[in-house]
Amino acid sequence: MMTSMFGGDKSDHPAYVLVGKATYELLEGPDWGVNVDLCDLVNSDFHRFGKDAVKALKLKMLKTPMKPAVQLLALTALEMCMKNCGAQFHAMVVAKEVLGEMSKLALTARCDTEVRRKTLQLLEEWAAQLRIPQYAEVYNGLRNKGVEFPGADLATAAPMHTPQQTVPRAAALGGLDTID
């Protein structure tokens, strides 16, 4: 078995495989099909795949500081999961301390300008749309530190909701082995 940049041997776990595909450094932009597959996987069995998806996205976003393209792809996949995987996913983002790490990322002087802008946009949007205190606390904490946000356009932002699963679980896995 191979070890991956995720640490340990998680390279064969479905959520890690899909996050790896969604954040492949040679992609020129988001692979929307893979991102949809990730959302479908999480929605198919949150208790089995939700935690791994959050952890894998967090690692891709934070452990690749010299690869802004990978960070942006991870932020985009995280945004899509936030908008499509529901309250359990929102709570897991809090539980796995993703918000605090995003805050640190936005405050880091060496953070790429576009990564910083996307991070702040997401934090602002989530604080405005979700009624979860931790999201507002991170947003307000950054504002109190003098951080200027890009100004989320909430009128055109996609709402946070969980649609019905679009494909059967087996199709979302694309033939991946689901044994833990």
Side-chain angles (χ1 to χ4, degrees):
M1 294 199 149
M2 90 190 236
T3 31
S4 68
M5 68 91 37
F6 295 114
D9 186 11
K10 300 202 181 225
S11 59
D12 62 342
H13 292 206
Y16 282 87
V17 170
L18 288 174
V19 169
K21 288 179 180 181
T23 60
Y24 182 58
E25 65 185 287
L26 297 180
L27 288 175
E28 293 182 15
D31 184 331
W32 298 112
V34 172
N35 289 348
V36 167
D37 289 346
L38 180 61
C39 292
D40 283 343
L41 178 71
V42 170
N43 288 331
S44 73
D45 187 347
F46 183 83
H47 296 292
R48 187 162 181 204
F49 302 115
K51 180 177 164 183
D52 279 352
V54 171
K55 287 169 52 178
L57 287 167
K58 177 182 173 183
L59 288 170
K60 285 290 192 166
M61 186 174 51
L62 301 173
K63 300 294 183 186
T64 54
M66 303 309 286
K67 296 181 181 178
V70 172
Q71 290 174 303
L72 285 170
L73 292 168
L75 287 165
T76 300
L78 177 63
E79 176 183 22
M80 193 160 174
C81 288
M82 286 289 292
K83 291 181 178 180
N84 293 288
C85 296
Q88 288 181 306
F89 193 88
H90 305 158
M92 187 62 69
V93 166
V94 171
K96 292 296 160 195
E97 301 176 3
V98 174
L99 299 175
E101 294 299 328
M102 289 175 73
S103 176
K104 289 178 194 173
L105 181 64
L107 292 171
T108 302
R110 67 183 189 277
C111 184
D112 176 79
T113 304
E114 189 62 22
V115 170
R116 183 176 195 273
R117 186 202 61 75
K118 181 70 171 177
T119 300
L120 293 173
Q121 173 212 334
L122 293 176
L123 290 172
E124 182 178 28
E125 184 179 311
W126 298 340
Q129 288 194 20
L130 299 172
R131 302 208 190 294
I132 302 172
Q134 293 89 337
Y135 287 85
E137 288 169 12
V138 169
Y139 172 74
N140 290 327
L142 287 169
R143 285 190 56 199
N144 290 339
K145 290 179 181 178
V147 172
E148 291 185 32
F149 285 80
D153 184 1
L154 298 175
T156 61
M160 303 283 183
H161 70 287
T162 303
Q164 294 295 319
Q165 186 173 343
T166 58
V167 296
R169 182 172 177 266
L173 297 175
L176 297 174
D177 182 9
T178 60
I179 298 173
D180 286 327

